[in-house]
Amino acid sequence: MPVITSIDDLKRLYKRRVPKMFYDYCESGSYTEQTFRDNTSDFSRLRLRQRVAVDMTGRSTQSTMIGQSVTMPVALAPVGMTGMQCADGEIKAARAAEAFGVPFTLSTMSICSIEDIAAHTTAPFWFQLYVMKDEGFVDAAIERARVAGCSALVLTLDLQILGQRHKDLKNGLSAPPRLTLPNILNIATKPKWAVDMLQTKRRSFGNIVGHAKGVGDLSSLMSWTNEQFDPQLDWTKIARIRDKWGGKLILKGILDAEDARRAADFGADAIIVSNHGGRQLDGAVSAISMLPQIVRAVGDRTEVHMDSGIRSGQDVLKALALGAKGTFIGRSFIYGLGAMGQEGVSRALEVIRKELDISMALCGVQKATDLNRQHLLVPDDFEGAWA
Ligand code: GLV
């Protein structure tokens, strides 16, 4: 067993073990990837405030997200095609999250279906919904999530049209991969991935195949998005979905204080400050640099969560200190999944929990819920730079 000490260790293994097409899908931002890079580099502009001679016993990373108890405020983000990173990937990730005591969010664009996750887990999971033109499909997906016992609907608002990721086009990204010569040669160097994939029947978009009508090419996320996502999505349509669902609603992809206020007025249970991991509007600001402004804008009218750029427990600490009540990791758990399956997701969560815990101790903080801006050193221009 390799010694894993960081998310980066998992990423290195992941790169070796998973076909290039899926590694590239995970590791891309849109266009120039400026926002993708800023998401992580802006975290490193924040510094932690070292404190000494403070009793550091009795520490706890426990918290709540939308009223649900979590062993640390780090949920698994919805990630499309997770079941292509590793056979039955969503099931494995959901099981790791359940064992760890954090929420798992299933993407609409997953390989394993809502029903698959419900059949292989006992803890309620969260379902991420993309709004399609086909209302029948949307309503059925909501109903399926309800039947599966999902405890929150995460409605993504920043991907009604796809930001271009150059590598996906060049690689001909699809699920399952087409058996072209370059793909075959590359897959031949990933034997464990290939053997596991041959042994599962889950190799296409499980929430869509058999549930959607009139789509030209179901293997391609790009064509599905272009043909099916509803470009007219607005607050009236969001209200229709809220009413149809009737349960906890999280609005994902908010990056502007005005939109955040609107979401709070609307009564969202939480918002996720996010630029979709830098995969959508290239040139947008990093999520962490917008977080303080958005927290101020909504006050305590809705919970503020954030994703985009978290690769360590120190990053989680920084987000919590800037006012996030919860965080999400996407790539950080995908690296673990591709590297070592379910065990790798558990390792990723454990790495982050330990980093958070030790960093809290060295900042003189006993409870993750006590973190606040006092625990950070923030450069003067951190939020003002883009006013
Ligand atoms: C889908 O959510 C993607 O970012 O590819």
Side-chain angles (χ1 to χ4, degrees), residues 44-208:
S44 55
R45 296 189 66 219
L46 297 166
R47 295 290 192 272
L48 306 182
R49 186 166 164 213
Q50 174 175 305
R51 301 301 306 274
V52 296
V54 180
D55 178 3
M56 55 171 77
T57 58
R59 290 188 310 284
S60 168
T61 59
Q62 290 230 323
S63 188
T64 56
M65 289 172 79
I66 54 161
Q68 298 177 21
S69 157
V70 291
T71 53
M72 66 175 173
V74 180
L76 300 195
V79 179
M81 299 181 126
T82 293
M84 280 290 121
Q85 305 289 357
C86 170
D88 301 332
E90 290 91 358
I91 293 173
K92 290 173 181 164
R95 288 180 135 171
E98 176 170 359
F100 202 88
V102 293
F104 170 76
T105 319
L106 182 73
S107 166
T108 298
M109 306 308 291
S110 59
I111 303 298
C112 303
S113 66
I114 300 174
E115 292 75 15
D116 283 333
I117 305 303
H120 289 89
T121 54
T122 52
F125 59 99
W126 296 352
F127 179 63
Q128 174 270 337
L129 181 69
Y130 279 126
V131 182
M132 314 285 176
K133 288 181 210 155
D134 177 356
E135 275 189 6
F137 175 86
V138 171
D139 291 354
I142 291 173
E143 194 47 38
R144 290 166 62 204
R146 192 194 325 282
V147 170
C150 291
S151 53
L153 191 72
V154 177
L155 191 62
T156 298
L157 302 178
D158 62 357
L159 195 144
Q160 290 314 108
I161 190 165
L162 202 64
Q164 180 171 301
R165 300 106 193 224
H166 301 324
K167 283 177 244 163
D168 293 349
L169 289 173
K170 293 190 165 107
N171 290 332
L173 175 73
S174 69
R178 286 184 189 86
L179 294 181
T180 60
L181 187 61
N183 285 348
I184 292 169
L185 292 176
N186 184 250
I187 289 171
T189 65
K190 323 284 176 192
K192 171 132 179 46
W193 180 93
V195 168
D196 288 351
M197 210 46 92
L198 283 173
Q199 282 168 4
T200 180
K201 55 183 189 319
R202 303 182 184 93
R203 291 195 289 263
S204 59
F205 292 100
N207 283 326
I208 295 168

Side-chain angles (χ1 to χ4, degrees), residues 290-311:
M290 281 310 285
L291 180 62
Q293 216 184 103
I294 290 181
V295 167
R296 274 196 304 276
V298 303
D300 55 11
R301 291 189 300 139
T302 186
E303 260 182 36
V304 179
H305 300 172
M306 76 88 55
D307 74 18
S308 301
I310 294 180
R311 306 284 186 274

Side-chain angles (χ1 to χ4, degrees), residues 5 23 26 32 219 226 331:
T5 59
Y23 174 85
C26 168
T32 70
S219 70
N226 291 338
R331 294 185 179 93

